[in-house]
């Protein structure tokens, strides 16, 4: 069985863009730049290469991302690679590989963060990641895992 899990650590290249499907499902799109730096053994010069990734998140996680993260912040993203294809209005075929996020968090390597739980909302659609999904207050225990929290509609 092939495992299609990827984890990246990098900086947001733009503010998250949140949109909603016709049924009200939140969808956030963000760009992450991942830089790799190494020393060239022949020249002893430092070299750097940057890769850019598009990330998509769904449901409550999408709203949390939109409310919390901004361009330039260092983040950790864990999810799966997914390819989607479409045809433009001019008939051109396009394809993109994205990371569909299971988890997104600020990196605490060079920053600190304050974690706060948020209130539940109605129409959760199964949540957007860990737990049973939904929003909760600081005094409310986490909802039990229902097994459907990682699925997003298509």
């Amino acid at each position: 069985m092939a495992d299609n899990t990827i984890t990246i650590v990098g900086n947001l290249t733009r503010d998250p863009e949140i949109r909603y499907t016709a049924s009200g499902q939140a969808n956030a799109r963000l760009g992450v730049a991942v830089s790799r730096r190494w020393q060239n053994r022949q020249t002893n010069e430092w070299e750097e290469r940057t890769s850019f990734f598009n990330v998509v998140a769904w449901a409550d996680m999408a709203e949390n991302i939109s409310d919390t993260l901004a361009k330039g912040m260092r983040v950790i993203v864990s999810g799966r690679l997914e390819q989607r294809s479409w045809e433009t209005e001019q008939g051109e075929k396009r394809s993109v590989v994205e990371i569909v996020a299971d988890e997104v968090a600020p990196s605490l390597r060079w920053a600190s963060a304050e974690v706060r739980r948020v209130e539940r909302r109605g129409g959760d659609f199964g949540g957007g990641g860990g737990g049973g999904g939904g929003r909760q207050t600081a005094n409310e225990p986490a909802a039990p895992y229902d097994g459907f929290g990682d699925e997003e509609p298509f």
Side-chain angles (χ1 to χ4, degrees):
M1 177 170 99
D3 191 11
N4 186 15
T5 301
I6 183 171
T7 300
I8 61 171
V9 179
N11 293 72
L12 292 181
T13 61
R14 62 186 183 271
D15 287 337
E17 302 167 23
I18 191 160
R19 296 184 180 162
Y20 294 86
T21 64
S23 64
Q25 178 80 351
N27 172 295
R29 296 192 173 275
L30 46 150
V32 179
V34 178
S35 295
R36 186 171 72 93
R37 186 177 161 151
W38 68 94
Q39 190 172 21
N40 183 320
R41 294 185 189 242
Q42 281 94 20
T43 65
N44 284 333
E45 297 289 322
W46 285 98
E47 297 183 19
E48 184 172 332
R49 181 165 297 138
T50 303
S51 299
F52 297 90
F53 297 91
N54 290 320
V55 178
V56 62
W58 292 92
D60 285 344
M61 183 170 47
E63 292 181 342
N64 289 341
I65 288 168
S66 177
D67 292 343
T68 306
L69 301 177
K71 179 180 178 179
M73 290 182 168
R74 188 168 178 85
V75 295
I76 303 166
V77 176
S78 180
R80 67 185 183 278
L81 291 174
E82 198 165 278
Q83 180 181 359
R84 62 183 176 91
S85 301
W86 70 97
E87 193 170 308
T88 67
E89 292 179 9
Q90 294 77 25
E92 299 170 329
K93 293 186 182 208
R94 299 284 171 94
S95 180
V96 67
V97 175
E98 301 171 312
I99 298 172
V100 177
D102 292 323
E103 297 286 343
V104 176
S107 169
L108 301 181
R109 186 168 190 175
W110 295 299
S112 63
E114 181 179 323
V115 177
R116 65 178 172 81
R117 295 182 183 202
V118 291
E119 286 186 39
R120 285 183 181 259
R121 297 182 190 203
D124 180 30
F125 301 103
R135 297 178 173 248
Q136 56 204 24
T137 63
N139 297 327
E140 181 179 290
Y145 179 66
D146 63 9
F148 300 103
D150 293 332
E151 295 181 7
E152 67 275 349
F154 282 96

